Amino acid sequence: MSDTAHDLARIDAVIAEMYAMISGPAGPRDWSRQANCFHPEARQIRTTIDAEGRPQLTIMTLADYAAGATPFFAANAFYEVETGRRVELFGTIAHAWSAFEARNTLDPGAAPERRGINSIQLTKDADKGWRIIAMIWDNERAGVEIGPL
């Protein structure tokens, strides 16, 4: 396997772990799994549009995200399913555009709750390999639709 193919396979495993970690039936998530896919200093950034139509950011550490998401996951089934991806590599950094659907069931006939893009920046750690260092996401809405990746 070439170095690039090996890197892409490892990046695939990291992104798959990120989706698997947050997805599941209502109940607790195993936040220790963050170490399998995120750099300890990683940031997760939720984007929203306020009532006046202005962009807003919520910038979170791994602990912030876990604390904020825990009550939601405790009460709700949530599955974030990747529907497409494009990855670009340069040395020890990579960028992945990852399209997703958020669902409350894995029933293929059910409509997704929402769709969006996770913009994922990764770095190659000397000891742990590829890890997400930053992730920012936005949801599809009128005028902002997912195109081909």
Side-chain angles (χ1 to χ4, degrees):
M1 179 182 294
S2 73
D3 286 347
T4 298
H6 182 263
D7 285 338
L8 289 171
R10 298 309 311 145
I11 289 168
D12 181 65
V14 164
I15 293 173
E17 172 68 0
M18 182 273 299
Y19 281 115
M21 178 188 68
I22 62 170
S23 295
R29 299 299 191 263
D30 180 358
W31 295 114
S32 71
R33 293 174 69 182
Q34 288 179 319
N36 299 333
C37 49
F38 286 95
H39 185 280
E41 297 297 321
R43 295 295 180 264
Q44 294 174 298
I45 306 159
R46 176 183 300 120
T47 65
T48 55
I49 302 295
D50 71 13
E52 288 80 41
R54 296 176 305 178
Q56 302 294 308
L57 298 175
T58 304
I59 301 171
M60 298 166 277
T61 65
L62 297 178
D64 293 338
Y65 179 82
T70 292
F72 174 81
F73 290 146
N76 299 280
F78 179 82
Y79 302 91
E80 198 162 276
V81 179
E82 187 177 47
T83 59
R85 182 189 312 155
R86 181 180 72 213
V87 176
E88 296 173 350
L89 286 166
F90 183 81
T92 61
I93 61 173
H95 181 236
W97 287 101
S98 178
F100 67 86
E101 292 181 345
R103 303 175 157 277
N104 58 18
T105 177
L106 289 176
D107 177 358
E113 170 191 321
R114 68 181 175 274
R115 296 170 10 123
I117 295 278
N118 287 317
S119 173
I120 304 168
Q121 293 74 50
L122 303 102
T123 185
K124 193 172 189 179
D125 183 85
D127 299 317
K128 295 184 177 185
W130 288 99
R131 292 292 182 267
I132 298 168
I133 190 71
M135 188 167 97
I136 186 170
W137 61 93
D138 199 356
N139 294 327
E140 197 173 49
R141 58 189 172 278
V144 180
E145 297 174 2
I146 299 170
L149 293 181

